[in-house]
């Protein structure tokens, strides 16, 4: 049974607290779990005007605010450098802690700052988007993007705590709620068919959320549990470890994001990636027939597209997958579902090396017909 009451989920090394109004508990929690004497709140120019002053007031004179531009295009080494320079200018030492207030971009970047500043200081994740609540804030991966691809520079660095206040979703634009739903759909596909159905039932309410709905709290909690269960088994994605199943939909998603210069949001790219990768699995005989259509139905119910946008060259997408972290020995590896609720595994672990022509066929552009080699321009 999934409870809709406020929840605390215990992960290795830190807790995740989910409760309406939890934003007002951040200062007290940070004092307990970091033992820091100074705090630096890192947020972006959209979230900071909404919540940073409320958070800063709770910390009192011990907190400073550093604001970065919003958007994936600013999750870069340059922004990382600007934030660390600002911390140095503030005189922040090893007795400091970072508070990451915002969505996945802020969480990834602020976490990477924490992982590298003074060789590592503690940080607390305070996600304010649905995508960050159900996925990005959990698991300890931090990093920044480079021109070659997403998250290619980063570190594993556990947060000291994750504090989730679902009422912040009341100010989140509807399209960002829909993007977050893509990761919840993914968690159902990779691990829990019943959860997948519950998410599908909940999707029509995305437009009217105020963050206090018991079912919303329950769904966030179950997503956190699913990701935590996977991460617990394979925290640093060693070899063919199980953490790779979290990459479902992401191999193509990262390529789509890169090729559109992040004009397509991460959740939307994941939605497209899941549908196409499930179709790829069906073609390879790895995935149960009908799985891709079930996922496409969920994606459409969330108000997301289920196919590549018009004008995006499938060959360019395939080329971009070759520069992702998931490429091994010249072939790109994909995490593919066996069916909704379970991922395929084999002798090679939890991912399958796939040829470019099979991927292009799933994208609707068979290599033989194109007459072009995606490894070349």
């Amino acid at each position: 049974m999934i409870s809709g009451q406020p929840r605390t989920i215990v992960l290795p090394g830190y807790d995740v607290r989910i409760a309406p109004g939890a934003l007002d508990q951040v200062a007290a929690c940070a004092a307990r779990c970091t033992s820091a004497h100074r705090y630096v709140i890192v947020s972006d120019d959209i979230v900071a005007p909404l919540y940073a002053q409320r958070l800063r007031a709770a910390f009192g004179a011990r907190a400073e605010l550093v604001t970065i531009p919003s958007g994936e295009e600013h999750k870069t080494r340059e922004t990382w450098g600007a934030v660390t320079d600002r911390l140095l200018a503030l005189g922040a030492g090893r007795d400091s802690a970072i508070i990451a207030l915002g969505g996945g971009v802020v969480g990834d970047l602020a976490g990477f700052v924490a992982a590298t500043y003074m060789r590592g200081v503690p940080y607390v994740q305070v996600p304010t988007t649905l995508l960050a609540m159900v996925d990005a804030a959990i698991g300890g991966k931090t990093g920044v993007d480079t021109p070659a691809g997403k998250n290619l520079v980063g570190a594993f660095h556990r947060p000291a705590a994750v504090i989730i206040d679902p009422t912040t979703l009341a100010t989140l634009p509807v399209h960002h709620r829909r993007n977050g739903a893509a990761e919840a759909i993914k968690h159902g596909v990779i691990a829990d068919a019943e959860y997948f159905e519950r998410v599908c039932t909940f999707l029509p309410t995305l437009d009217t959320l105020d963050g206090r709905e018991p079912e919303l709290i329950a769904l966030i909690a179950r997503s956190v549990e699913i990701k935590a269960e996977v991460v617990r088994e394979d925290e640093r994605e060693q070899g063919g470890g199980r953490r790779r199943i979290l990459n479902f939909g992401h191999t193509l998603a990262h390529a789509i994001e890169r090729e559109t210069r992040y004009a397509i949001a991460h959740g939307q790219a994941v939605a497209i990636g899941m549908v196409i990768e499930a179709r790829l699995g069906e073609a390879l005989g790895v995935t149960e027939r009908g799985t891709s259509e079930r996922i496409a139905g969920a994606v459409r119910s969330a108000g997301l597209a289920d196919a590549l946008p018009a004008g995006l060259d499938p060959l360019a997408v395939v080329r971009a997958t070759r520069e992702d972290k998931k490429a091994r020995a010249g072939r790109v590896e994909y995490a593919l579902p066996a069916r909704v609720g379970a991922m395929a595994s084999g002798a090679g672990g939890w991912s399958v090396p796939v040829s470019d022509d099979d991927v292009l066929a799933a994208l609707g552009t068979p290599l033989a017909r194109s007459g072009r080699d995606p490894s070349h321009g």
Side-chain angles (χ1 to χ4, degrees):
M1 180 178 178
I2 302 177
S3 169
Q5 298 300 311
R7 297 282 303 279
T8 298
I9 300 169
V10 180
L11 277 65
Y14 61 100
D15 293 350
V16 179
R17 173 67 174 165
I18 309 166
L23 200 65
D24 297 318
Q25 303 170 16
V26 172
C29 174
R32 289 194 305 270
C33 67
T34 69
S35 301
H37 295 285
R38 295 187 66 187
Y39 301 92
V40 178
I41 301 166
V42 178
S43 191
D44 67 30
D45 53 14
I46 292 177
V47 175
L50 297 170
Y51 299 113
Q53 188 54 43
R54 176 178 165 188
L55 201 58
R56 195 174 182 184
F59 281 103
R62 295 181 299 162
E64 300 282 353
L65 173 64
V66 175
T67 303
I68 65 173
S70 64
E72 186 77 36
E73 65 272 23
H74 297 293
K75 197 178 84 174
T76 63
R77 287 170 291 187
E78 290 73 23
T79 306
W80 168 85
V83 174
T84 53
D85 285 348
R86 180 61 180 147
L87 265 61
L88 291 167
L90 291 170
R94 289 190 56 80
D95 62 347
S96 302
I98 306 294
I99 309 297
L101 175 68
V105 169
V106 168
D108 283 356
L109 187 135
F112 188 47
V113 169
T116 52
Y117 188 74
M118 301 284 180
R119 296 191 175 89
V121 297
Y123 74 115
V124 175
Q125 288 274 21
V126 187
T128 60
T129 67
L130 184 57
L131 190 148
M133 291 175 187
V134 301
D135 188 75
I138 313 300
K141 279 188 175 181
T142 72
V144 294
D145 305 335
T146 74
K150 284 194 63 172
N151 301 319
L152 295 181
V153 176
F156 291 95
H157 190 51
R158 290 176 178 173
V162 180
I163 309 297
I164 297 174
D165 184 345
T167 64
T168 60
L169 298 179
T171 58
L172 187 69
V174 169
H175 68 277
H176 284 306
R177 299 179 193 176
R178 292 173 177 164
N179 280 300
E183 292 286 2
I185 292 168
K186 182 197 78 176
H187 288 147
V189 175
I190 69 172
D192 188 336
E194 180 184 354
Y195 178 68
F196 176 85
E197 294 300 335
R198 293 193 67 170
V199 171
C200 289
T201 300
F202 190 73
L203 291 174
T205 71
L206 287 172
D207 291 8
T208 58
L209 294 179
D210 69 7
R212 299 181 183 278
E213 296 84 358
E215 184 67 1
L216 172 64
I217 297 169
L219 292 176
I220 293 171
R222 182 58 186 143
S223 261
V224 170
E225 288 172 346
I226 289 170
K227 186 163 186 181
E229 289 162 6
V230 174
V231 171
R232 190 178 288 115
E233 293 183 27
D234 179 27
E235 185 170 11
R236 291 179 176 262
E237 206 172 72
Q238 300 294 327
R242 190 165 180 253
R243 187 163 184 160
R244 286 195 180 186
I245 70 173
L246 297 170
N247 292 332
F248 173 55
H250 284 62
T251 304
L252 287 174
H254 287 174
I256 292 166
E257 288 178 271
R258 178 185 167 186
E259 289 307 305
T260 60
R261 298 186 180 183
Y262 304 106
I264 292 183
H266 178 68
Q268 172 60 92
V270 168
I272 296 168
M274 287 191 295
V275 174
I276 297 172
E277 290 181 22
R279 187 184 307 147
L280 172 63
E282 291 177 20
L284 295 174
V286 171
T287 305
E288 182 179 277
R289 292 286 178 183
T291 300
S292 62
E293 187 50 43
R294 286 186 70 186
I295 297 170
V299 162
R300 291 191 294 265
S301 292
L304 297 168
D306 62 353
L308 289 182
L312 182 58
D313 183 1
L315 286 161
V317 172
V318 172
R319 280 197 300 270
T321 64
R322 287 178 167 271
E323 298 181 12
D324 188 78
K325 303 185 297 299
K326 305 167 192 67
R328 300 287 188 277
R331 300 186 87 191
V332 180
E333 297 190 356
Y334 288 76
L336 301 174
R339 58 188 177 278
V340 169
M343 293 296 282
S345 64
W350 293 94
S351 58
V352 178
V354 179
S355 67
D356 291 336
D357 55 346
D358 285 328
V359 179
L360 283 164
L363 289 166
T365 309
L367 187 61
R369 191 174 71 216
S370 73
R372 295 164 61 190
D373 181 350
S375 66
H376 298 87

